[in-house]
Amino acid sequence: MNDTPNRTPLTADVERHLLDSVGVAPAEASPSDLLQAVSLAAREQLSRRWVASTAADRHAKARRVVYLSMEFLMGRTLGNALAALGLEGPAADAAQAHARTLEDLQAHEPDAALGNGGLGRLAACFLDSMAALGLPSFGYGIRYEFGMFAQSIQGGRQVEHPDPWLENGTPWEFPRPDVAWPVRFGGWVEHPQGPGGPAVWHPAGTVNAKAYDMVVPSHHDERVSTLRLWRAAAPAHIDLTAFNSGDYARAAEFKNQFENISWVLYPNDSTPAGRELRLRQEYFFTSASLQDVLARHMAEHGRLDNLHEAVAIHLNDTHPAIGVAELMRLLLDEHALPWARAWAITQATFSYTNHTLMPEALETWPVGLIQSVLPRHLEIVYRINHEFLLQAARHRPGDNAFLQRLSLIDESGERRMRMAHLSIVGSHKINGVSALHSQLLVNTIFSDFAAIWPERFTNMTNGVTPRRWLAQANPALAALLDESIGTAWRRDLDRLADLAPLADDAAFRERFGAIKRANKARLAARLQRELGVPLDPDSLFDVQVKRIHEYKRQLLNVLHVVTRYLAIIAEPQRSWVPRTVLFAGKAASSYVAAKTIIRLIHDVASVVNHDLRVAGRLAVAFVPNYGVSVAEALMPAADLSEQISTAGTEASGTGNMKLALNGALTIGTDDGANIEIREAVGDDNIFIFGLRTPEVEARRREGYRPGQIAAAHPTLQQVLDAIGGGLFSPDEPGRYRGLVDSLLQVDHYLLLADYADYVATQQRVDALFTDAAAWQAKAVRNVAGMGPFSSDRTIAQYAREVWRVQRGG
Ligand SMILES: *Cc1c(COP(=O)(O)O)cnc(C)c1O
């Protein structure tokens, strides 16, 4: 320690870690050395809190939530950890002592991108809220060696690169070499006591699941929660024979066969080998997690017949659904419980969240594949199904079609196991993720189940954590809120309602507007640097950021951009409201239509951005590699949030919440959580357009004719002709002919039906934007209305109504 004025204990810790842990002279530390040292200094403080929380829960034998999720889209950790510890200031000082800023260091931290999009990010927000509410909780998932692919754009096309986020290690995980569970696959099953009794499974192979823990700090107290991720390791003895004979290549290949289970998020599922690997992943992490839960329970309670009183296990979508059969197997075969008791415990322990209504997205597995990978589980599912269908038959005697629809096995073609059905039958509570979605579940895809068990179905509207999505992502707005309404919003987001009166306060609006302007300028500078596209921070920033998918209708947005482009050219003398349209999002690597949309966005951008006739009035940019960190930069800079899915397709959306929380106005359809956002912010503060869910259904029923819509609408026809005729792809005029033809002939997501209303609504957006005071007032009212969309509210509701868990000591 020397006597530099802003030396703090943290600075001393950082210097110590540079010397003792990183192994570098403090004067020579690079930004990534410093990142490492600051992270280690924060980590050691969290570690102490963690040990204390875990010991308290163990001592209290606390009832715990176990959240099983194939994906956790965590993003970066350092900023969150520092905020939770109240060390942001001292960490900035420590960086400054080396002539760096904290942002310089953080830019070197890779995102933990162990997820695709909304579902994985939801799991991450939920962990934050479970910690904030002090719930004794564990998240469980897979420690993928490679996360979500990194996206770059070459020649307007998406190129996928591996994401080796663990290449240089991570300071945020704690390996637990003592915690390893065998996970078995294949082989055959023996029934020494006859068909109904406990079975002996003779697997063909066994892989070890080894635990790596990540800390999940609370921002409000000293409690810490855990995300436990499993890595697949070949059993140590396995390669010895090959090694002894000097055949290292064969030994390595053998090892890989086991270890590839935790290599990569979403193996290519267009091949049988890729699909089988995915099934193995699902079973791998579910089995390891359940074995871990049972061992902890036995250590605390010494018996399993009260398992459901001590733990609530949640299935985040159907990826861990095989857990229903796995828990049964563990209770029956390894702990000798009778079937009826085991089944009662299982149903009382599990709960399940559905995330999609789209039939093609509902997970099923060929029975033949389950037979070869998980033979014992297949037997168990058959028996669950048999007893369930007997029970169901009593509800509607003689109705065979009813039973066929309910069955856990789809017999209509190649026999397949329906994982959503297994999840429902094995759970005591089932929920959707927005009011509309939960209602549609009960009325459509799960109506037969709801007829039998209406009391099991409920709604838990999604939320987002205000710590990451407001406090961290938008520090200037957070500071303005602290000053205006106090700091309590950070743990009680309903307090944002106190902002509402300030919407009418001109001085406040001015400060609020200045913060948005500064966020836009910062983003513009970054995109100038990274993409070479100049953007005008005074233009309206119109933002659509999310996975690229046909149902999310980025293409409808493009139709509007082209409409605007052609209109400006046709009437150059009119005063146009300047607009910058920003896109970001990844397309699944095998999703051809989504990749074509990315290419079209780039082709349109390149024509529009180089056309002097629209300069200063319209610009388009695609921000590559959408992920949590990119989202944190984009959300605070948005004026307009595009949430334009076909009504009835977006289960909830959470991007819509993050953007409104940062003061963007929504233009959206009557879909998912948009409906609840509209109720919360008021009809006058949101732009809703387009067909509603029942109207979408009616249009499809009547026989939808998109070609007729285009024929009756000259502007739309002109836009389609421009795209289909090659205006944006002069080097290959036919590039988008197929895309346009499919819109004219099929248009499964009804873009053309919603086009006219969408374009008219965009004109209302323009009109409002010219009145800065009116726009800012509505933006303030959006922030004020976002209280209900905190994931703290969602998790409190799960804790009360689904999990029945309480804050730990
Ligand atoms: C919030 C979020 C999503 C979900 O966005 P939607 O607009 O709800 O689809 C996806 N990816 C990332 C990185 C996010 O932060």
Side-chain angles (χ1 to χ4, degrees), residues 107 115 158 260 290 311 381 384 394 405 472 508 771 799:
Q158 168 174 298
N260 67 1
L290 292 179
V311 59
V381 170
I384 294 172
R394 289 195 288 272
R405 291 196 305 270
Q472 247 175 273
F508 180 82
D771 181 348

Coordinates of all heavy atoms in Angstrom, one line a residue, residues 107 115 158 260 290 311 381 384 394 405 472 508 771 799:
A107 N -14.7 -4.9 -21.3 CA -14.8 -5.3 -22.7 C -14.0 -6.6 -23.0 O -14.3 -7.3 -24.0 CB -14.2 -4.2 -23.6
G115 N -26.9 -20.1 -24.0 CA -28.3 -20.1 -24.4 C -28.5 -19.4 -25.7 O -27.6 -18.8 -26.2
Q158 N -24.8 -14.1 -42.8 CA -24.4 -14.6 -41.5 C -23.3 -15.7 -41.7 O -23.5 -16.6 -42.4 CB -25.6 -15.1 -40.8 CG -25.2 -15.9 -39.5 CD -26.4 -16.4 -38.7 OE1 -27.1 -15.5 -38.2 NE2 -26.6 -17.7 -38.5
N260 N -18.1 -35.4 -25.5 CA -18.8 -34.5 -26.4 C -20.1 -34.1 -25.9 O -20.7 -33.1 -26.5 CB -18.9 -35.1 -27.9 CG -19.7 -36.3 -27.9 OD1 -20.3 -36.7 -26.9 ND2 -19.8 -36.9 -29.1
L290 N -30.7 -34.5 -10.6 CA -31.6 -35.2 -9.7 C -30.8 -36.0 -8.7 O -31.1 -36.1 -7.5 CB -32.6 -36.0 -10.5 CG -33.6 -35.2 -11.3 CD1 -34.6 -36.2 -12.0 CD2 -34.4 -34.3 -10.4
V311 N -38.3 -30.0 -1.5 CA -37.7 -29.4 -2.7 C -38.8 -29.3 -3.8 O -39.7 -30.1 -3.8 CB -36.5 -30.3 -3.2 CG1 -37.0 -31.7 -3.5 CG2 -35.9 -29.7 -4.5
V381 N -42.1 -44.8 -18.6 CA -43.0 -43.9 -19.3 C -44.2 -44.7 -19.8 O -45.4 -44.2 -19.7 CB -42.4 -43.1 -20.4 CG1 -43.4 -42.4 -21.3 CG2 -41.4 -42.1 -19.9
I384 N -46.4 -45.1 -16.7 CA -47.1 -43.9 -16.4 C -48.2 -43.6 -17.3 O -49.3 -43.3 -16.9 CB -46.1 -42.7 -16.5 CG1 -45.0 -42.8 -15.4 CG2 -46.8 -41.3 -16.3 CD1 -43.8 -41.8 -15.6
R394 N -61.9 -42.6 -17.5 CA -63.0 -42.4 -16.6 C -63.7 -41.0 -16.9 O -64.9 -40.9 -16.6 CB -62.6 -42.5 -15.2 CG -62.2 -44.0 -14.8 CD -62.2 -44.2 -13.3 NE -61.0 -43.6 -12.7 CZ -59.8 -44.2 -12.6 NH1 -59.6 -45.4 -13.0 NH2 -58.8 -43.6 -12.0
R405 N -55.3 -38.4 -28.2 CA -54.7 -37.0 -28.1 C -53.9 -36.8 -26.9 O -52.9 -36.1 -26.8 CB -55.8 -36.0 -28.2 CG -56.5 -35.9 -29.6 CD -57.3 -34.6 -29.7 NE -58.3 -34.4 -28.6 CZ -59.6 -34.8 -28.6 NH1 -60.0 -35.5 -29.7 NH2 -60.4 -34.6 -27.6
Q472 N -27.5 -1.5 -14.5 CA -26.2 -1.7 -15.1 C -26.2 -1.2 -16.6 O -25.2 -0.6 -17.0 CB -26.0 -3.2 -15.2 CG -24.8 -3.7 -14.3 CD -24.8 -5.2 -14.4 OE1 -25.4 -5.9 -13.7 NE2 -24.0 -5.7 -15.3
F508 N -37.9 17.8 -15.9 CA -37.5 16.4 -15.8 C -37.5 15.8 -17.1 O -36.5 15.0 -17.5 CB -38.6 15.7 -14.9 CG -38.3 14.2 -14.8 CD1 -37.4 13.7 -13.8 CD2 -38.9 13.3 -15.6 CE1 -37.0 12.4 -13.7 CE2 -38.6 11.9 -15.5 CZ -37.7 11.5 -14.6
D771 N -43.0 16.0 -32.0 CA -43.4 16.8 -30.8 C -42.6 16.2 -29.6 O -43.0 15.3 -28.9 CB -44.9 16.7 -30.5 CG -45.3 17.4 -29.3 OD1 -44.4 17.9 -28.5 OD2 -46.5 17.6 -29.1
A799 N -42.8 -18.4 -6.3 CA -42.4 -18.9 -4.9 C -43.7 -19.1 -4.1 O -43.8 -20.1 -3.4 CB -41.5 -17.9 -4.3

